[in-house]
Amino acid sequence: MKKTVTTLADGRELIYYDSRDDVVRDAVDRRPLDPVSTSSEVRRDPLLGDSVAIASHRQGRIYHPPADECPLCPSQEDRHSEIPEPDYDVAVFENRFPSLAGDSGRCEVVCFTSDHDASFADLTEEQAGLVLEAWTDRTAELAELPQVTQVFCFENRGAEIGVTLGHPHGQIYGYPFVTPRTELMLRSAADHRAATGGNLFDDLVAREEADGSRIVLAGEHWVAFVPYAAHWPYEVHLYPRRRVADLRELDEAARTEFPQVYLELLRRFDRIFGPGEPPTPYISAWHQAPFGVEGREDFALHLELFTIRRTSGKLKFLAGSESGMSVFINDVPPETAAQRLREVASE
């Protein structure tokens, strides 16, 4: 992998990740951009004890532009985008409309490919491996920033999820706090350690493998399953068999196998609802241990992939119980979801 760091016209950082070492990235951003102005602020909720990012400047972000005006496509002679080069493998840049900025953290955009009409599932194993290297490198870089406590790499895919740019891309958030979901996991892991002397994540994966009914696929270095108490209609958790705290700690064997397993999962997601159905909307989220917190050594890196589509043409909405009280009601039994995801294995 070759990494090239440069800046855009307004001073934001742009990083190219290339599979070839002989690629030169020296194109200049010629757009007449004004300096980025943000109003990001993190406020603590005294009732729930969590944090909310207030970012009113995001109201002006680009919303469903036509394909020939996509800001994530490579630049052409008559059109300049966020990527000055005429082509690229993987590109990462600071978000012009960040939810978190300055002392409140950092937000980045990850462009998986220069092909506007592709999806992550269309990538080759080599391309997917390069994205993994980019996620890992950004985790390492953001871990060094004093205002970042936790790094979150994720992809929102599909208009139903709320995606406003059709180009295949994801995001990376550097939070200035430990997220509420991670705090719950850390607390559960500590309680499990105190009660049993074991590791919660290790024991959870072992139980799923022993049961077998919710296993979707298993490799030598990764295992994917629908969790026993899945919140979403189709939800898969992907764990490396050797427990690590974050992406930086994955060994070479796990890195090599990851693209095979992950691409297979994504392709199965697109087959869930049968031929002729539109691409399945999903959220793919890496859960990594926060930095410098008690219990970090007990945390397990894993990826959670889920869709809000519960059946053909119908979405799972977060209504009263889910939104009002955070109590999920799942219409699809996890065992049924796992069986369906086994049935649609790619040939």
Side-chain angles (χ1 to χ4, degrees):
M1 179 191 77
K2 181 179 181 181
K3 175 183 176 182
T4 305
V5 181
T6 184
T7 56
L8 295 170
D10 54 11
R12 288 176 294 133
E13 190 173 35
L14 166 67
I15 309 105
Y16 295 101
Y17 295 90
D18 287 291
S19 56
R20 288 170 38 209
D21 290 335
D22 60 346
V23 175
V24 176
R25 300 297 187 189
D26 56 6
V28 176
D29 183 8
R30 304 188 183 282
R31 296 173 297 171
L33 297 180
D34 295 326
V36 174
S37 177
T38 66
S39 56
S40 180
E41 176 189 0
V42 174
R43 297 184 181 181
R44 189 77 171 170
D45 184 337
L47 289 180
L48 299 180
D50 59 7
S51 298
V52 177
I54 309 297
S56 60
H57 62 277
R58 284 176 54 78
Q59 290 279 31
R61 66 187 185 275
I62 299 172
Y63 187 81
H64 292 300
D68 61 357
E69 296 179 16
C70 174
L72 307 185
C73 286
S75 291
Q76 304 298 326
E77 290 185 2
D78 58 344
R79 186 183 63 81
H80 301 292
S81 72
E82 292 278 57
I83 319 294
E85 292 286 344
D87 195 11
Y88 63 85
D89 288 348
V90 175
V92 178
F93 59 87
E94 288 184 77
N95 198 326
R96 186 166 173 80
F97 302 94
S99 302
L100 306 164
D103 293 338
S104 296
R106 178 166 165 130
C107 291
E108 299 179 342
V109 176
V110 185
C111 299
F112 302 139
T113 171
S114 61
D115 184 351
H116 180 85
D117 297 319
S119 68
F120 202 117
D122 295 324
L123 301 183
T124 65
E125 290 182 11
E126 181 183 24
Q127 288 174 309
L130 185 60
V131 175
L132 177 62
E133 290 304 311
W135 282 330
T136 304
D137 181 73
R138 298 316 302 152
T139 297
E141 291 286 336
L142 296 183
E144 298 300 317
L145 298 181
Q147 70 269 35
V148 172
T149 301
Q150 184 175 359
V151 175
F152 179 45
C153 306
F154 64 100
E155 180 191 1
N156 298 327
R157 193 254 202 146
E160 300 95 328
I161 297 292
V163 174
T164 57
L165 296 175
H167 195 102
H169 73 287
Q171 299 181 66
I172 301 175
Y173 279 18
Y175 293 106
F177 50 78
V178 179
T179 63
R181 189 174 176 85
T182 304
E183 283 188 336
L184 286 173
M185 291 184 192
L186 289 170
R187 190 183 314 154
S188 296
D191 291 345
H192 185 83
R193 175 71 72 184
T196 70
N199 179 272
L200 173 62
F201 297 95
D202 291 346
D203 292 348
L204 185 153
V205 173
R207 284 198 300 270
E208 290 293 351
E209 290 207 275
D211 179 282
S213 65
R214 290 175 296 277
I215 297 293
V216 174
L217 60 87
E220 183 179 354
H221 303 285
W222 295 85
V223 59
F225 56 87
V226 178
Y228 174 76
H231 288 57
W232 300 95
Y234 291 90
E235 175 181 343
V236 175
H237 292 192
L238 176 63
Y239 279 78
R241 292 188 181 278
R242 184 179 71 88
R243 175 166 47 88
V244 296
D246 61 39
L247 288 166
R248 298 174 297 177
E249 299 177 12
L250 288 174
D251 60 25
E252 195 58 34
R255 292 184 183 282
T256 298
E257 188 180 76
F258 170 77
Q260 306 164 24
V261 176
Y262 186 52
L263 289 172
E264 174 65 16
L265 280 178
L266 293 181
R267 290 162 186 168
R268 291 190 191 190
F269 256 59
D270 274 343
R271 293 184 174 93
I272 292 174
F273 304 105
E277 288 291 317
T280 301
Y282 65 73
I283 292 175
S284 178
W286 280 110
H287 291 262
Q288 306 195 77
F291 313 120
V293 300
E294 185 176 354
R296 173 181 163 83
E297 67 283 353
D298 258 351
F299 195 86
L301 167 77
H302 64 283
L303 184 145
E304 298 186 7
L305 172 68
F306 62 89
T307 179
I308 62 171
R309 186 180 292 166
R310 57 186 175 87
T311 190
S312 179
K314 297 179 181 178
L315 301 180
K316 163 66 177 177
F317 291 102
L318 299 189
S321 185
E322 291 89 352
S323 294
M325 297 302 287
S326 294
V327 178
F328 275 68
I329 301 168
N330 191 351
D331 300 326
V332 181
E335 294 76 16
T336 301
Q339 175 62 31
R340 179 57 182 160
L341 285 163
R342 289 193 295 267
E343 291 172 350
V344 295
S346 62
E347 298 179 357

